[in-house]
C-alpha cells in the first residue's frame, strides 16, 4: 500500500534545490529563457536538439549558451508573432512525428507568462506541447461531496474514473471535475465549463455553491502513464474548489473522458489512494482536501508537515501562481 508521502513523491517529483538529486539533474537540462532573459521553463537535451534542427524560417533565431545551458527562443517583437513561431515549430514537429507526446494534439492553447515582457504573456503554446518546453501550466480541480451523517467524517465524495481509452492515465481515478485553463480563460469560468462538460453539473449550481480554496503547486516529471516521452519536466499550478452537492444532484459523464462516478466514503477513497488508483496529481488534490478538513492531521500522519509544505511548492518560473 502506498503511503501519503509516497503519493506526494509520485507527483512532486522534480528534486528540490540543495539536494544531490537536484545537482545531478540540472546539468542535464537547458533553461528556456523569455525574450527579456527570464527563465520560464526546463528543456531536456532531446527537445533542445530537436529545436535546434527546426529551420530558422519556422522558429526564428536562437541564442544558445552551452556553458550556462540556456536557450533563448521565440524572440519575435510581438506576442502574436511569438505565438505564431511556437505554433509553427510544434506543427513542424507534429508533421515529422518528432515527439510521441504530440500524437495527443488537443487544439487547445496554454499561456506562458513573464511579467517582464510587454503584456505579461510571452506566447501561447499547444497544450500537448507545453511539457516539451517545461513551462508552468494551469488547471482547475474540484472535489464535490455530499453530507452523510452516518459516516465517520460526515461526508461522501464523488470520484470519477477516467475513460480507459484516454491516452493519459486511462482508467485511473480523478477529481470530480478537472481541466486545463486555456489561454484567455479565467479559472472560475474554466471551472464552470468543465463542470458541465465532465460531470453534467448545472451551471447555476456551480456558480452559486462552488467555493475557491486556493491553489496547489508541484513539479512533475512525466512517466509512461502520462503518454509520450518520459523525463519531461512539468511544473503545474491547480486552482482548487470544493462543492457540497445536494443529495439529489448526481454527477454524470457528459463527454468521452469519464467512464463513471462513484460516491465513496473517506475510507474508500483512502483505500483507493493506497492502491495507487488515483492519477498522481489528483491524489495530491485529495490530500489537500483532507488536510483542509482536518481528516489528515499531525496526529494521524507522521509526514503531515512535509506533505502540507510540498502541496504549495514554490515554482521558480513566473506566472499568476505567484499572486494566487
Amino acid at each position: 500500500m502506498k503511503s501519503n508521502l509516497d503519493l506526494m513523491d509520485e507527483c512532486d517529483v522534480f528534486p528540490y534545490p540543495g539536494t544531490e538529486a537536484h545537482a545531478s539533474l540540472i546539468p542535464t537540462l537547458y533553461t528556456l529563457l523569455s525574450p527579456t532573459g527570464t527563465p520560464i521553463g526546463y528543456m531536456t537535451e532531446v527537445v533542445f536538439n530537436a529545436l535546434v534542427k527546426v529551420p530558422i524560417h519556422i522558429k526564428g533565431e536562437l541564442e544558445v549558451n552551452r556553458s550556462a545551458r540556456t536557450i533563448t527562443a521565440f524572440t519575435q517583437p510581438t506576442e502574436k508573432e511569438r505565438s505564431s513561431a511556437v505554433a509553427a515549430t510544434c506543427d513542424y514537429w507534429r508533421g515529422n512525428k518528432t515527439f510521441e507526446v504530440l500524437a495527443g494534439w488537443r487544439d487547445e492553447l496554454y499561456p506562458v507568462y513573464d511579467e517582464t515582457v510587454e503584456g505579461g504573456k510571452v506566447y501561447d503554446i499547444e497544450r500537448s506541447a507545453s511539457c516539451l518546453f517545461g513551462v508552468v501550466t494551469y488547471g482547475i480541480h474540484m472535489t464535490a461531496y455530499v453530507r452523510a451523517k452516518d459516516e465517520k467524517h460526515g461526508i461522501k465524495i464523488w470520484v470519477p474514473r477516467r475513460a480507459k481509452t484516454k491516452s493519459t492515465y486511462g482508467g485511473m481515478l480523478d477529481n470530480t471535475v478537472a481541466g486545463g485553463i486555456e489561454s484567455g480563460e479565467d479559472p472560475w469560468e474554466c471551472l464552470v465549463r468543465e463542470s458541465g462538460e465532465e460531470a453534467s453539473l448545472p451551471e447555476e449550481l456551480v456558480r452559486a455553491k462552488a467555493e475557491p480554496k486556493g491553489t496547489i503547486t508541484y513539479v512533475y516529471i512525466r512517466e509512461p502513464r502520462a503518454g509520450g516521452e518520459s523525463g519531461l519536466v512539468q511544473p503545474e499550478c491547480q486552482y482548487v474548489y470544493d462543492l457540497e452537492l445536494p443529495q439529489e444532484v448526481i454527477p454524470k459523464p457528459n463527454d468521452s473522458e469519464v467512464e463513471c462516478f462513484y460516491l465513496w466514503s473517506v475510507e474508500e477513497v483512502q483505500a483507493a489512494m493506497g492502491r495507487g488508483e488515483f492519477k498522481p496529481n489528483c491524489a495530491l488534490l485529495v490530500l489537500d482536501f483532507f488536510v483542509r478538513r482536518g481528516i489528515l492531521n499531525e496526529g494521524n500522519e507522521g509526514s503531515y508537515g512535509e506533505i502540507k509544505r510540498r502541496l504549495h511548492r514554490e515554482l521558480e518560473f513566473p506566472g499568476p501562481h505567484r499572486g494566487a
Side-chain angles (χ1 to χ4, degrees):
M1 295 289 284
K2 297 180 186 291
S3 69
N4 291 324
L5 189 57
D6 289 336
L7 297 172
M8 192 81 235
D9 289 339
E10 284 190 357
C11 185
D12 187 36
V13 180
F14 194 84
Y16 279 68
T19 63
E20 289 185 15
H22 186 269
S24 297
L25 179 60
I26 289 298
T28 71
L29 302 172
Y30 275 85
T31 300
L32 176 64
L33 305 180
S34 77
T36 58
T38 303
I40 56 173
Y42 280 131
M43 190 180 293
T44 64
E45 186 91 33
V46 171
V47 178
F48 168 81
N49 290 333
L51 182 58
V52 169
K53 293 176 183 176
V54 175
I56 290 178
H57 75 271
I58 293 176
K59 69 174 184 285
E61 296 285 349
L62 301 179
E63 183 179 326
V64 177
N65 185 326
R66 291 186 181 271
S67 59
R69 294 188 71 84
T70 62
I71 178 169
T72 306
F74 312 116
T75 57
Q76 290 79 3
T78 67
E79 183 268 315
K80 183 178 180 180
E81 290 173 288
R82 293 190 295 270
S83 294
S84 294
V86 172
T89 298
C90 295
D91 197 53
Y92 175 83
W93 282 339
R94 183 190 185 194
N96 286 281
K97 295 182 169 55
T98 306
F99 295 108
E100 292 179 19
V101 73
L102 297 183
W105 195 273
R106 302 290 289 269
D107 281 322
E108 297 174 14
L109 294 177
Y110 276 177
V112 179
Y113 296 102
D114 176 11
E115 61 270 16
T116 69
V117 172
E118 184 179 357
K121 186 170 72 171
V122 190
Y123 41 71
D124 287 332
I125 188 168
E126 153 64 29
R127 175 175 177 167
S128 64
S130 60
C131 57
L132 295 171
F133 295 88
V135 294
V136 182
T137 59
Y138 299 83
I140 60 91
H141 284 244
M142 182 170 73
T143 301
Y145 63 95
V146 298
R147 296 288 176 181
K149 62 180 181 180
D150 294 332
E151 294 293 331
K152 176 182 177 181
H153 297 285
I155 60 170
K156 283 190 169 185
I157 300 169
W158 282 107
V159 178
R161 187 172 294 282
R162 296 164 67 85
K164 293 182 178 65
T165 54
K166 280 188 69 68
S167 60
T168 59
Y169 309 101
M172 299 193 78
L173 299 174
D174 210 311
N175 301 123
T176 316
V177 173
I181 301 173
E182 298 180 22
S183 184
E185 187 174 38
D186 177 85
W188 179 256
E189 294 305 319
C190 178
L191 172 71
V192 173
R193 173 177 60 80
E194 292 285 357
S195 294
E197 290 177 0
E198 292 192 350
S200 306
L201 294 176
E203 177 178 340
E204 61 275 14
L205 175 64
V206 175
R207 290 190 182 278
K209 298 295 185 181
E211 299 179 21
K213 297 295 182 179
T215 61
I216 72 164
T217 46
Y218 51 86
V219 184
Y220 185 54
I221 297 179
R222 290 173 71 93
E223 37 95 354
R225 293 179 299 175
E229 288 72 18
S230 295
L232 302 174
V233 181
Q234 198 165 336
E236 293 190 328
C237 171
Q238 307 295 352
Y239 289 80
V240 182
Y241 299 87
D242 291 350
L243 176 62
E244 180 181 341
L245 287 178
Q247 299 286 343
E248 66 273 13
V249 176
I250 299 174
K252 298 181 180 66
N254 193 32
D255 59 21
S256 60
E257 297 193 3
V258 176
E259 183 177 292
C260 62
F261 283 87
Y262 307 111
L263 184 59
W264 279 351
S265 67
V266 167
E267 291 77 12
E268 288 174 308
V269 173
Q270 289 173 323
M273 292 169 72
R275 294 191 297 268
E277 290 191 46
F278 273 84
K279 181 172 176 270
N281 67 336
C282 295
L284 264 58
L285 269 294
V286 177
L287 289 177
D288 177 70
F289 181 79
F290 287 168
V291 166
R292 289 186 287 102
R293 298 189 70 88
I295 295 168
L296 197 66
N297 54 62
E298 289 180 303
N300 59 25
E301 173 53 68
S303 300
Y304 178 79
E306 179 178 352
I307 290 170
K308 190 174 180 181
R309 172 176 52 82
R310 289 175 62 187
L311 285 170
H312 306 285
R313 177 175 185 160
E314 182 178 348
L315 302 182
E316 58 189 293
F317 303 132
H321 56 275
R322 290 185 171 172

